[in-house]
Amino acid sequence: MKYFSTLLIGAGLLAAAACNNSSTTSSTSDSDSMAQDHASMQSDTMAGMEASTDTASAQSAHVDISATKQDTTGGGSADFTAMNGKVQMKLTLLFPKMANKSVAVHLHEHGDCGDMGKGAHGHWNPTNEKHGKWGSGEYHSGDIGNVQLDGSGKGSLTFDSDRWTLGGDAKTNILGRAVIVHSGVDDYTTQPTGNAGSRIGCGVIMRK
Ligand SMILES: [Cu+2]
Ligand SMILES: [Zn+2]
């Protein structure tokens, strides 16, 4: 069963890559709402491709983040390690167009990067809380926060989460979820998105 879901995730990734390559237009709308402005573009090809969540536990996981838009090159990766009841994420990003800016990074609910990242749907929020700043009041389990990029567009973040597991209960399992990089800054206040702008990067967390 484990292998079956891994295959499904793999197929989803390939489909997402194919969709990105065949994308011909892109809007730079700074809206992260669930507005359906792009929903018609690729939803047909992505139908049925959503990865099932991988529940067998793992010690480590990885995500490769790709640019979602043709006019924004960039990407990144992160490694996840389970340790001492927590999961540590080591993230690196490279988005040259975003040099000297901060970009918001979240875990989104669905492991689907189709439709320029909109297939990932909203912030992963298994505890049904408000959007916010990690560690302070209410926040989503996907609310990682902002990453400062340097003059070449490079940035990194090490993040320890006590709300995440690699496998197991869907309320904590991050395998098969999407990491989304936004063009703007998370204000930690606006509901439910943090007003973080459009989606410029996306990847699906996979067991190593
Ligand atoms: Cu987001
Ligand atoms: Zn959130």
Side-chain angles (χ1 to χ4, degrees):
M1 193 173 83
K2 157 176 23 166
Y3 297 108
F4 183 58
S5 39
T6 304
L7 281 174
L8 278 178
I9 292 169
L13 271 185
L14 285 174
C19 286
N20 278 340
N21 290 341
S22 63
S23 173
T24 51
T25 59
S26 71
S27 157
T28 50
S29 154
D30 269 347
S31 165
D32 184 41
S33 70
M34 294 304 292
Q36 298 298 302
D37 54 341
H38 301 301
S40 60
M41 281 184 61
Q42 288 151 350
S43 58
D44 289 346
T45 48
M46 293 308 296
M49 287 298 196
E50 186 183 319
S52 60
T53 306
D54 186 354
T55 56
S57 71
Q59 281 306 304
S60 56
H62 181 81
V63 60
D64 284 315
I65 298 165
S66 303
T68 60
K69 299 178 177 179
Q70 287 189 325
D71 64 351
T72 306
T73 56
S77 65
D79 286 299
F80 300 85
T81 309
M83 46 162 72
N84 304 323
K86 295 186 176 184
V87 171
Q88 182 173 80
M89 176 180 69
K90 290 192 170 185
L91 170 72
T92 57
L93 297 176
L94 179 59
F95 282 89
K97 266 195 157 182
M98 299 292 150
N100 296 313
K101 293 181 180 171
S102 283
V103 294
V105 179
H106 307 126
L107 300 188
H108 284 234
E109 186 176 5
H110 293 170
D112 177 351
C113 291
D115 194 15
M116 293 187 293
K118 288 202 161 55
H121 288 229
H123 295 187
W124 178 46
N125 182 22
T127 56
N128 198 24
E129 293 176 60
K130 288 182 177 173
H131 175 74
K133 183 169 170 36
W134 191 279
S136 149
E138 290 195 26
Y139 53 96
H140 300 148
S141 295
D143 287 348
I144 293 169
N146 296 312
V147 178
Q148 175 69 49
L149 305 184
D150 67 14
S152 58
K154 195 174 176 201
S156 62
L157 178 74
T158 299
F159 185 87
D160 286 316
S161 171
D162 56 3
R163 287 193 179 195
W164 299 351
T165 56
L166 304 178
D169 193 318
K171 287 199 162 184
T172 59
N173 181 13
I174 63 170
L175 296 178
R177 311 236 174 255
V179 176
I180 294 281
V181 180
H182 292 274
S183 60
V185 178
D186 189 332
D187 65 11
Y188 302 130
T189 304
T190 305
Q191 300 301 324
T193 62
N195 195 28
S198 62
R199 304 178 181 198
I200 59 171
C202 181
V204 178
I205 301 171
M206 316 277 282
R207 65 173 56 250
K208 259 200 227 170

